[in-house]
Amino acid sequence: GDSVTQMEGPVTLSEEAFLTINCTYTATGYPSLFWYVQYPGEGLQLLLKATKADDKGSNKGFEATYRKETTSFHLEKGSVQVSDSAVYFCALREGGTSYGKLTFGQGTILTVHP
Amino acid sequence: NAGVMQNPRHLVRRRGQEARLRCSPMKGHSHVYWYRQLPEEGLKFMVYLQKENIIDESGMPKERFSAEFPKEGPSILRIQQVVRGDSAAYFCASSPPSSADEQFFGPGTRLTVL
């Protein structure tokens, strides 16, 4: 079945550092790919998405490119802020489905220090 | 427009009791998903419902768990005879009929079984 693997955390960075969180997937067909963010005590929020190969999703300075050849969707940000501290989840939706059942990675905790 | 609401936010039950978790989707959303997050793990899909119909329950444990989404009122996830292994965060998400990718998550219910 489909699966998502994220880099092990937690990740600790200083403010303005460069961020990469790796995500790779296994899926049949052509899935849609997502990054969600979860702030303490809150539900998950969609951060960005990409629905086909070579698409780049972007939002709030975060970017991720759908790489079919490497089955990856790595999250990047050029300069992190303390407010980016949260848990980040990579997820996929199986291609060809008409509804939104998501398969998630295990999550990566990011802590940004001033 | 209020977001997805879940209650209670925290629920404590003793082994053998029943747990009822409620989810009110966003206005205009007729699709509801339930996910479970065990400690140190990512979210796992449980069930997908539309009004009065269970569409996909492939992630639901075979026994003790049930879900419904009646014509009127919130979606309910019911766990009978809870065991310690049911302790987890349970998240509900909703989406409009027109866009499976637009899933909005509630803040979750954290169930603790003593």
Side-chain angles (χ1 to χ4, degrees):
Chain A
D2 296 348
S3 66
V4 176
T5 302
Q6 288 181 235
M7 67 184 289
E8 293 286 330
V11 174
T12 302
L13 295 173
S14 298
E15 205 165 26
E16 298 184 4
F18 184 85
L19 168 70
T20 300
I21 301 178
N22 289 340
C23 172
T24 57
Y25 67 90
T26 302
T28 54
Y30 301 92
S32 295
L33 301 174
F34 306 84
W35 277 100
Y36 280 84
V37 59
Q38 183 181 29
Y39 298 102
E42 298 183 14
L44 279 70
Q45 301 174 24
L46 178 63
L47 182 59
L48 53 84
K49 68 178 183 182
T51 57
K52 60 182 188 296
D54 301 324
D55 267 2
K56 177 186 283 188
S58 61
N59 185 25
K60 300 180 182 179
F62 291 89
E63 293 182 340
T65 301
Y66 189 143
R67 301 284 188 203
K68 186 163 178 62
E69 63 276 15
T70 54
T71 61
S72 65
F73 193 54
H74 304 321
L75 183 68
E76 297 182 335
K77 186 174 185 182
S79 177
V80 293
Q81 306 300 311
V82 172
S83 57
D84 293 326
S85 298
V87 184
Y88 292 81
F89 292 94
C90 185
L92 68 80
R93 180 168 75 87
E94 182 181 328
T97 59
S98 60
Y99 59 93
K101 173 183 174 181
L102 295 169
T103 299
F104 284 90
Q106 69 269 38
T108 300
I109 300 172
L110 171 65
T111 303
V112 180
H113 292 299
Chain B
N1 189 5
V4 178
M5 300 176 67
Q6 290 189 248
N7 64 81
R9 294 291 304 273
H10 300 274
L11 183 61
V12 178
R13 286 287 178 265
R14 297 191 180 279
R15 282 177 295 171
Q17 293 184 317
E18 178 180 287
R20 280 184 181 241
L21 289 63
R22 286 176 290 278
C23 168
S24 296
M26 289 181 68
K27 187 175 181 180
H29 288 194
S30 57
H31 296 199
V32 166
Y33 306 82
W34 285 94
Y35 295 86
R36 177 166 66 173
Q37 185 180 27
L38 294 169
E40 309 299 322
E41 295 186 17
L43 282 75
K44 296 286 196 292
F45 168 81
M46 299 182 75
V47 62
Y48 162 54
L49 310 102
Q50 296 178 16
K51 282 285 188 181
E52 299 184 278
N53 287 302
I54 296 173
I55 307 302
D56 181 349
E57 56 181 347
S58 58
M60 289 278 271
K62 293 288 187 283
E63 298 177 349
R64 301 186 298 109
F65 285 72
S66 62
E68 63 178 11
F69 188 17
K71 187 176 180 181
E72 301 290 339
S75 176
I76 305 288
L77 179 67
R78 182 181 178 209
I79 312 172
Q80 295 178 288
Q81 299 176 318
V82 296
V83 301
R84 289 221 173 103
D86 297 332
S87 295
Y90 292 83
F91 291 93
C92 164
S94 72
S95 70
S98 57
S99 179
D101 284 347
E102 299 293 330
Q103 255 182 80
F104 294 83
F105 281 78
T109 294
R110 276 140 184 91
L111 172 65
T112 301
V113 179
L114 301 177

